[in-house]
Amino acid sequence: MNIPYKKMGDTIVLFLPYQMKKFIRNFFEKLRIKHNCNYIKQNRKKVLQRVKKIVNSRPLKVIFYIYDNTKWKCQSLYELMEQDKHFNPLIVVTKNCAPQSNFNYQNLFEINKTYNFFKNKKMNVELAYDIKNDKFIPLKEFNPDIIFYQHPFYVETSQGPVVCSEFALTYYVPYFIATSEGENEYYLRFHQYIETHYVLNDFIKKTFSQKMPNKGKNLKAVGHPQLDYFYLKKFQEKNNEEYIIYAPHWTIDNNNLLKWGTFAWNGEFILEYAKQHPEKKWIFKPHPCFRENLKRIYSTNFAEKYFKEWEGIGQICETGDYLDLFIQSKVLITDCGSFLTEYFMTGKPVIHLCSERAIEYNASVKKIISTYYRVWNQSDLAKTLDEVVVKNKDYLEEKRIIALKELQLKDNYAAKNILNDIKSELRINE
């Protein structure tokens, strides 16, 4: 039975003093979450029993819920499932349910762009959004046995883990690699509703478990499929491109939890530096939300002019296929989060643009950034660019090699670990 806890809470606070409103709303929100968690738990027993019965008689239908191709990080898992007789993977492309007033809002062009991204890769893909009638298609209509999520934000109800727990097992692989200890990585309602949440390593599992309401019962440490690219060596070892990549994060104002963005003190400086060094090959790789946030905080004219100037200098990369560019580069200049770990796998130097207001990194990332060239102002940035980019000096290289071994990131096949975990749970016979 659906109990309208939020509506009940909102109705009651109308008759209460201002000081009590937050307390009452939180009280009813906790009731709502508890109710949904119990509902999911009951459903899981039934679905698990059903899936175990059919798993050896037909392939399980696995759908990957996606609304942004730039955040697609499960290619290795999709490919491994495609090769396995027990699974039939499918990408379902939808849109997020962010309101039009939110800079995360998606239009129909973006839905088609993501759909075509997978279609062009010749992957199995269908739309989970009815473009003609402008409405969401419930995931139940795809008859899935398993659903993989990568986005924890703006998931429409009929496509979310609570409703989908009625007919499918739900799994979560974040589109990012855990970088901080911020609550957005483990404390959302979504994190409590998902049945299995895969994380990078045991350290992150332990850290999250200590703070999660469910004590991390749904967490499993397996690595991250994004890093399988390096394990599988899906690239040519030798290349002559040697790009310099500038990758700014979207958090360029104070209205967010992470506050990693440093564009205010270096965005235009780096652009001018690139203009002064046309002999170098430049790639501008902004975060997917960067362009819209730049428009909102500065202006549309400023943002479009900024991107146009980068077009005149080098390439602009706004897709999810960027790891080849990492391999073909010589250095990364960034204040992004996941890139700090992803680029670490290349063994190459990073000029880390640091923010004094940023949320604290977790211990794993702290070890990684200790091997990077960290800069806090334009003066340090200018000196570091001259040393690393122009003079090709890299005195931290040996330190990175040692840290890569200590963190045990390089020789871990996450997709295989995930598949083995699912097979073990479902008792799949080879």
Side-chain angles (χ1 to χ4, degrees):
M1 181 176 68
N2 181 35
I3 302 174
Y5 289 106
K6 185 178 185 303
K7 184 177 180 180
M8 291 165 62
D10 290 343
T11 302
I12 291 174
V13 297
L14 292 174
F15 309 100
L16 293 174
Y18 174 79
Q19 298 91 316
M20 295 188 65
K21 287 185 177 181
K22 185 176 181 180
F23 173 81
I24 294 295
R25 284 197 174 103
N26 286 342
F27 173 77
F28 277 93
E29 178 65 8
K30 288 179 180 178
L31 284 180
R32 175 189 177 192
I33 292 173
K34 184 177 181 181
H35 170 84
N36 285 340
C37 286
N38 288 334
Y39 176 73
I40 291 168
K41 187 177 181 180
Q42 293 171 5
N43 286 334
R44 178 174 174 74
K45 292 179 181 179
K46 299 175 185 176
V47 175
L48 191 59
Q49 186 177 25
R50 176 184 67 81
V51 174
K52 283 181 177 178
K53 285 182 179 179
I54 64 173
V55 69
N56 289 311
S57 60
R58 68 163 174 82
L60 297 179
K61 189 169 186 180
V62 182
I63 65 174
F64 291 85
Y65 166 96
I66 298 293
Y67 60 66
D68 184 347
N69 76 82
T70 65
K71 296 174 181 176
W72 168 243
K73 303 294 173 68
C74 281
Q75 187 68 29
S76 63
L77 180 57
Y78 175 93
E79 291 175 356
L80 203 60
M81 285 187 164
E82 200 173 33
Q83 298 164 14
D84 194 301
K85 65 181 181 180
H86 297 102
F87 302 96
N88 180 22
L90 170 71
I91 306 293
V92 291
V93 172
T94 183
K95 75 186 291 273
N96 68 41
C97 62
Q100 198 162 357
S101 58
N102 189 303
F103 71 89
N104 289 290
Y105 174 78
Q106 291 183 309
N107 55 36
L108 300 184
F109 170 79
E110 289 166 316
I111 300 172
N112 281 316
K113 182 180 177 181
T114 295
Y115 175 82
N116 289 328
F117 171 84
F118 293 105
K119 198 70 176 175
N120 291 337
K121 289 167 72 74
K122 302 188 184 310
M123 297 170 69
N124 297 324
V125 58
E126 294 182 26
L127 284 171
Y129 191 82
D130 184 342
I131 294 178
K132 183 178 179 180
N133 296 303
D134 194 20
K135 67 177 184 178
F136 292 91
I137 300 173
L139 294 189
K140 188 174 184 178
E141 294 191 16
F142 294 89
N143 299 313
D145 300 301
I146 290 173
I147 300 173
F148 269 91
Y149 292 92
Q150 286 206 258
H151 312 281
F153 313 109
Y154 306 113
V155 179
E156 193 270 336
T157 302
S158 72
Q159 300 181 343
V162 177
V163 170
C164 292
S165 70
E166 298 173 7
F167 50 84
L169 302 175
T170 61
Y171 297 83
Y172 172 50
V173 177
Y175 68 83
F176 54 87
I177 295 175
T179 304
S180 75
E181 295 184 11
E183 293 187 351
N184 64 307
E185 298 197 19
Y186 61 85
Y187 207 83
L188 303 176
R189 288 197 308 269
F190 176 90
H191 296 124
Q192 297 179 63
Y193 295 161
I194 207 75
E195 294 168 27
T196 302
H197 175 178
Y198 292 115
V199 295
L200 183 67
N201 53 35
D202 285 321
F203 170 79
I204 291 173
K205 178 181 177 181
K206 181 179 179 181
T207 303
F208 287 2
S209 296
Q210 292 170 346
K211 300 177 181 181
M212 292 177 73
N214 65 3
K215 305 302 179 186
K217 290 181 180 179
N218 58 345
L219 299 182
K220 292 184 180 180
V222 295
H224 198 289
Q226 178 73 343
L227 303 183
D228 288 346
Y229 170 91
F230 301 98
Y231 174 85
L232 297 170
K233 297 187 182 299
K234 291 199 166 188
F235 52 84
Q236 293 183 354
E237 294 285 358
K238 296 181 180 180
N239 62 80
N240 298 313
E241 297 295 348
E242 293 200 327
Y243 293 114
I244 299 164
I245 303 174
Y246 170 45
H249 199 246
W250 69 271
T251 53
I252 55 181
D253 63 349
N254 289 316
N255 298 321
N256 58 80
L257 175 68
L258 301 173
K259 298 181 175 65
W260 286 329
T262 59
F263 181 86
W265 67 263
N266 61 51
E268 293 178 88
F269 180 89
I270 294 172
L271 175 62
E272 290 305 313
Y273 185 89
K275 288 179 182 177
Q276 293 166 16
H277 292 275
E279 76 281 4
K280 304 294 183 182
K281 295 179 179 179
W282 294 88
I283 290 181
F284 180 50
K285 176 69 184 81
H287 185 280
C289 297
F290 179 80
R291 186 193 290 259
E292 291 305 313
N293 221 24
L294 200 64
K295 290 178 182 178
R296 182 175 65 87
I297 295 166
Y298 289 80
S299 71
T300 298
N301 287 340
F302 178 88
E304 296 303 334
K305 182 175 181 292
Y306 189 79
F307 273 71
K308 191 71 176 177
E309 291 196 61
W310 273 110
E311 284 181 10
I313 298 170
Q315 297 182 39
I316 295 182
C317 175
E318 294 187 88
T319 72
D321 288 339
Y322 55 81
L323 292 181
D324 278 340
L325 295 178
F326 280 9
I327 292 295
Q328 295 168 11
S329 67
K330 64 180 292 184
V331 62
L332 172 68
I333 307 166
T334 192
D335 50 18
C336 284
S338 293
F339 284 2
L340 297 174
T341 301
E342 291 174 17
Y343 199 81
F344 182 63
M345 305 297 291
T346 69
K348 299 173 183 179
V350 169
I351 297 177
H352 184 203
L353 307 168
C354 301
S355 167
E356 294 181 353
R357 59 195 178 91
I359 191 171
E360 189 173 1
Y361 295 104
N362 62 44
S364 180
V365 174
K366 284 180 180 178
K367 189 173 188 65
I368 289 172
I369 61 178
S370 72
T371 72
Y372 290 161
Y373 300 92
R374 310 194 72 203
V375 296
W376 301 83
N377 53 58
Q378 283 188 11
S379 176
D380 289 345
L381 176 56
K383 293 176 185 176
T384 305
L385 285 169
D386 185 56
E387 291 288 304
V388 179
V389 173
V390 178
K391 297 179 181 178
N392 297 312
K393 293 184 178 180
D394 183 12
Y395 61 86
L396 292 174
E397 182 178 13
E398 187 61 31
K399 189 174 182 180
R400 286 196 302 279
I401 293 172
I402 295 171
L404 189 59
K405 292 178 181 178
E406 291 176 347
L407 289 170
Q408 299 177 316
L409 292 176
K410 197 167 185 179
D411 298 316
N412 195 19
Y413 191 6
K416 187 68 174 177
N417 295 339
I418 291 171
L419 210 60
N420 287 343
D421 177 64
I422 294 173
K423 286 184 173 183
S424 175
E425 184 177 38
L426 299 180
R427 300 173 188 170
I428 292 179
N429 300 319
E430 293 297 340

